[in-house]
Each structure stands twice: as C-alpha cells, then as structure tokens.
C-alpha cells in the first residue's frame, strides 16, 4: 500500500464545501484511491473509490489529477453530522485481494463542522 | 447494504479475566474478517486477519496467545482477550469482506466494542 499524507485536522462551518487533500507520491499504476469515514465510537464506512479524473456519488466527489500523486475528497455543503475522521487509502485492489484483503489505515483527517 | 454486527458494544472486566467479542456478518458470507484496535484519537491498527476454517494471521507485534481469534463459520469470528490488563482497554473493531466482492476495496465494519479493564 502506498504511503499517504493528509492534514491531521480541518475545521469548517455548516453549509460550506470541504475539500480534504491526500498526497500519495508513490502511487503505483495499479493502485486505486479509497476514502473511508469514521464517526466517533463507530467503525469506518466506505465513502468513495476512484482511479483517475473524477468520481461522484450521493455522498462525495473524488478528484484525481492526471499524475495521480494526490487526490481530493470533496464534501458539498457539510452539516454537523459530517464531523468525523476521513481516511485516505491507496492500494492495488488485486494485490490486496491476493493478500487477503487487509487494509492499513493512516492517521486520517479529523473534520470538525461548526454551526 | 451489507451489515456487520459486534457484541457486546461495550464491556467492563476485571484485570486477569478473559473477554470474548463476537463479530457477525448479517447478510453476507465472509471468508475473511479482520480485527482492529483503536486508541483514543488514534487511527485503526490492524491486529489480525481471521480466516474461516484456518488459523488467524497476526500482524507483527500482536501477541497471538493473548488475542485468540476463532472463525468457525462464514458469518462469525470471535476475538478473545485473555488475561486482560488495563493496557488492553481499547476500542476493538472488526470488518469483513463480502466474498462475492471480488477485487473490490470495500470492507464492511462493525460498530466496535469498547473494552475497559479495571
């Protein structure tokens, strides 16, 4: 799994768009980028996964530039309930599958949304 | 969506006793489950990979005799913390992959178990 770097914490206000950037300079050709969300005292939850350009679902968007050395998770119009830790993971899904599927989490970004 | 449950959600035990935590996949079968522990304000640390019908694979530094893992069926894995001590107090989380998921990165996590050893 490629090493990732994220900001330790971010603050935002309700209604704002929040962008959390993850650096992964050593990303390999077969690596995918995945984001998980964890609320306090709960297990993480899969948010979104992408390989290049832009991916959007009902929760978030993921922007990946052409060099893929970074990615940005975008949360539109956050609310208080988006206060959580967001983890960026980068890895080769096939390799992960062959090695049993284990995930290694980095430090994550603690997002605090204020009223 | 796929649901993973854990029981109990929180447990308090005395030092020296053993505690068993159950992890169940409710609506899918999981050949492989994973156990993590998480300290306050810290990230998840993978402890071991639980394989149905075979021995668990432990990460480096995790005492296999202290953290006993059993994966007796495709929907149940258990973690037993033996001879618990206060330093074992932590948030224990399990996760599972749907064996039909193929190469998907997605794992389903349980709600966690808060263990407090007094």
């Amino acid at each position: 799994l490629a090493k990732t770097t994220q900001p330790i914490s971010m603050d935002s206000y309700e209604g704002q768009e929040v962008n959390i950037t993850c650096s992964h300079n050593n990303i390999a050709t077969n690596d995918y980028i995945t984001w998980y969300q964890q609320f306090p005292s709960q297990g993480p939850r899969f948010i979104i996964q992408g390989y290049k350009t832009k991916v959007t679902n009902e929760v978030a968007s993921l922007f990946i530039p052409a060099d893929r050395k970074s990615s940005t998770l975008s949360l539109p119009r956050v609310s208080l309930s988006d206060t959580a830790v967001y983890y960026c993971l980068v890895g080769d899904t096939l390799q992960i599958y062959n090695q049993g599927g284990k995930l290694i989490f980095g430090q994550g970004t603690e997002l605090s949304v204020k009223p | 969506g796929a649901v993973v449950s854990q029981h109990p959600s929180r447990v308090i035990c005395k030092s020296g006793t053993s505690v068993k935590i159950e992890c169940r996949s409710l609506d899918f079968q999981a050949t492989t489950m994973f156990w993590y522990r998480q300290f306050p304000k810290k990230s998840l640390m993978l402890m071991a990979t639980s394989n149905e019908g075979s021995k668990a694979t432990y990460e480096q530094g995790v005492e296999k005799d202290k953290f006993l893992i059993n994966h007796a069926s495709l929907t149940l894995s258990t973690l037993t913390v033996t001879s618990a001590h206060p330093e074992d107090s932590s948030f224990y989380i399990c996760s599972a992959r749907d064996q039909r998921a193929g190469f998907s990165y997605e794992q389903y996590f349980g709600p966690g178990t808060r263990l407090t050893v007094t």
Side-chain angles (χ1 to χ4, degrees):
Chain A
L1 293 169
K3 179 177 170 56
T4 60
T5 303
Q6 304 174 233
I8 294 175
S9 63
M10 292 181 69
D11 290 332
S12 182
Y13 291 93
E14 281 191 294
Q16 289 186 332
E17 177 185 77
V18 171
N19 296 309
I20 305 174
T21 298
C22 178
S23 296
H24 27 80
N25 291 319
N26 296 322
I27 190 169
T29 303
N30 295 329
D31 285 349
Y32 279 73
I33 299 154
T34 308
W35 287 79
Y36 279 80
Q37 173 192 54
Q38 185 183 24
F39 296 114
S41 297
Q42 293 187 29
R45 179 177 74 116
F46 173 93
I47 303 177
I48 197 166
Q49 181 182 49
Y51 183 79
K52 63 179 179 181
T53 62
K54 176 184 175 182
V55 179
T56 298
N57 61 22
E58 64 278 5
V59 177
S61 293
L62 179 59
F63 298 92
I64 306 167
D67 66 5
R68 304 201 325 123
K69 292 184 183 298
S70 67
S71 58
T72 299
L73 176 73
S74 181
L75 305 172
R77 296 180 300 283
V78 295
S79 64
L80 296 176
S81 61
D82 292 314
T83 294
V85 178
Y86 293 83
Y87 295 97
C88 165
L89 290 84
V90 176
D92 181 335
T93 56
L94 176 57
Q95 185 181 59
I96 291 168
Y97 176 82
N98 289 336
Q99 292 176 354
K102 66 181 184 180
L103 301 179
I104 306 298
F105 285 79
Q107 285 305 304
T109 297
E110 185 173 11
L111 172 65
S112 178
V113 180
K114 301 174 182 177
Chain B
V3 178
V4 174
S5 70
Q6 281 185 242
H7 178 79
S9 57
R10 56 179 64 232
V11 57
I12 301 172
C13 71
K14 294 192 174 185
S15 187
T17 62
S18 296
V19 173
K20 180 185 285 188
I21 302 170
E22 293 185 346
C23 176
R24 294 181 185 274
S25 56
L26 298 185
D27 49 2
F28 66 98
Q29 294 184 329
T31 310
T32 305
M33 292 184 174
F34 305 91
W35 287 96
Y36 297 81
R37 67 187 298 182
Q38 185 174 34
F39 293 107
K41 297 293 186 180
K42 298 293 185 182
S43 184
L44 288 82
M45 184 191 80
L46 179 66
M47 299 175 66
T49 302
S50 172
N51 303 296
E52 187 268 336
S54 64
K55 290 183 179 180
T57 304
Y58 291 82
E59 295 299 303
Q60 190 172 8
V62 177
E63 301 175 60
K64 55 184 70 175
D65 293 332
K66 181 167 188 62
F67 299 100
L68 301 180
I69 292 172
N70 183 272
H71 195 148
S73 76
L74 287 172
T75 59
L76 173 64
S77 175
T78 60
L79 168 68
T80 301
V81 183
T82 62
S83 187
H85 290 284
E87 57 265 31
D88 297 323
S89 298
S90 188
F91 192 52
Y92 292 86
I93 308 170
C94 71
S95 72
R97 290 185 70 250
D98 187 337
Q99 65 181 34
R100 300 165 300 177
F103 303 143
S104 171
Y105 214 120
E106 185 170 1
Q107 284 189 18
Y108 303 100
F109 286 80
T113 296
R114 177 78 59 191
L115 170 63
T116 303
V117 184
T118 61

